[in-house]
């Protein structure tokens, strides 16, 4: 059964966004993410509307927006701890810190929404094939450039960058899936019955180190699997 409980999970669909070639979505992912952190507030508002419309076209489930908001809320607690703790109680300083924090969380939410549109409408296989095509084109351009310069040096064999990037990109959804499993375990042991702010902070303090440990073990398992298939 398809996992629909975690973020950045591919969901089959026939929408326009789903049918858009993975090459186009992959090529737009990095520039769009960089633009979100470079745009002024008026353009961020426009970007929010555009991304919202694209999410509706892609039929992203409402629960995904709720999950995105929860992640931003948890991250917002951490941001507040680092930005406000130790600062003198001054209205002007606190207002500036709150404004900058809100802007950063808004940008982060848009980045997560961009990632959601990409991952939920693009399969792992499509991502891998698109990266392989990009690598093939780059290799051909490199060979052509070498021939045009009149040099006859053999081009060294390039590493399988497409495979490495595919591993990196497709590992991101596994981070959120691991977090969901840890949260389910926490809630099953009574964590869901506590809704005080301190309980939310305690959840973060306990689960984040466990998440890091789980991801390290997952990375080690992936590395062993790749090495065994390469031998």
């Amino acid at each position: 059964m398809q996992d629909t409980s975690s973020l950045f999970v591919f969901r089959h669909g026939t929408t326009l966004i789903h049918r858009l070639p993975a090459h186009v979505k992959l090529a737009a992912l990095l520039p769009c993410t960089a633009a979100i952190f470079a745009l002024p507030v008026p353009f961020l508002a426009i970007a929010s509307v555009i991304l919202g419309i694209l999410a509706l076209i892609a039929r992203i489930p409402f629960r995904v927006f709720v999950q995105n908001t929860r992640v931003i809320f948890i991250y917002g607690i951490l941001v507040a701890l680092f930005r406000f703790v130790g600062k003198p109680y001054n209205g002007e300083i606190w207002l500036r810190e709150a404004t900058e924090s809100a802007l950063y969380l808004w940008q982060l939410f848009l980045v997560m929404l961009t990632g959601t549109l990409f991952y939920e409408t693009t399969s792992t296989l499509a991502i891998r094939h698109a990266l392989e095509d990009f690598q093939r084109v780059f290799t051909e351009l490199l060979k052509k450039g070498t021939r045009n310069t009149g040099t006859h040096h053999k081009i060294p064999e390039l590493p399988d960058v497409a495979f490495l990037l595919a591993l990196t990109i497709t590992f991101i959804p596994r981070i959120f899936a691991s977090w969901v499993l840890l949260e389910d375990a926490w809630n099953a042991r009574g964590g869901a019955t506590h809704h005080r702010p301190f309980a939310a902070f305690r959840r973060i303090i306990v689960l984040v180190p466990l998440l890091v440990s789980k991801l390290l073990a997952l990375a080690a398992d992936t590395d062993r699997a790749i090495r065994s298939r390469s031998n």
Side-chain angles (χ1 to χ4, degrees):
M1 180 179 296
Q2 187 179 355
D3 180 17
T4 59
S5 60
S6 58
L7 292 171
F8 295 172
V9 175
F10 172 65
R11 291 175 172 84
H12 294 278
T14 58
T15 68
L16 177 63
I17 310 299
H18 282 83
R19 296 197 302 268
L20 198 65
H23 306 70
V24 176
K25 288 183 281 188
L26 193 59
L29 182 62
L30 183 59
C32 288
T33 302
I36 287 173
F37 286 104
L39 291 173
V41 172
F43 288 98
L44 277 181
I46 296 174
S48 301
V49 173
I50 294 174
L51 288 173
I53 293 174
L54 292 176
L56 291 176
I57 294 175
R59 298 179 183 175
I60 303 297
F62 179 73
R63 64 178 174 273
V64 173
F65 291 95
V66 176
Q67 288 174 310
N68 279 337
T69 305
R70 285 186 59 204
V71 172
I72 297 301
F73 175 75
I74 294 172
Y75 192 77
I77 295 176
L78 297 177
V79 170
L81 286 175
F82 283 102
R83 294 193 72 106
F84 290 96
V85 171
K87 294 289 178 65
Y89 182 73
N90 181 290
E92 183 178 348
I93 295 176
W94 279 51
L95 179 61
R96 184 180 69 249
E97 293 291 342
T99 302
E100 293 178 356
S101 299
L103 176 61
Y104 178 69
L105 293 176
W106 183 12
Q107 293 169 328
L108 188 62
F109 179 82
L110 293 180
V111 169
M112 289 195 65
L113 184 54
T114 303
T116 297
L117 282 167
F118 175 75
Y119 282 105
E120 303 229 351
T121 62
T122 316
S123 68
T124 301
L125 186 61
I127 294 173
R128 173 69 190 274
H129 287 167
L131 288 170
E132 288 176 345
D133 289 342
F134 285 139
Q135 178 174 289
R136 191 178 303 111
V137 170
F138 175 77
T139 303
E140 290 300 322
L141 289 175
L142 188 61
K143 291 179 180 178
K144 183 178 179 180
T146 303
R147 288 195 298 268
N148 290 339
T149 57
T151 59
H152 301 284
H153 297 291
K154 182 179 179 181
I155 299 176
E157 185 176 351
L158 298 176
D160 193 353
V161 178
F163 177 66
L164 297 176
L165 284 176
L167 277 180
T168 303
I169 292 175
T170 56
F171 194 78
I172 295 176
R174 302 173 77 176
I175 297 175
F176 289 95
S178 298
W179 176 261
V180 168
L181 291 176
L182 289 173
E183 276 203 319
D184 289 343
W186 177 270
N187 293 335
R189 288 166 174 79
T193 60
H194 304 287
H195 301 285
R196 296 188 298 255
F198 178 75
F201 177 72
R202 183 168 178 265
R203 176 192 293 254
I204 296 172
I205 294 300
V206 173
L207 294 187
V208 168
L210 293 176
L211 176 64
V212 173
S213 176
K214 187 175 181 64
L215 291 176
L216 289 174
L218 186 60
D221 291 341
T222 304
D223 178 68
R224 283 193 295 269
I226 292 172
R227 291 179 186 275
S228 64
R229 290 171 186 172
S230 301
N231 296 332

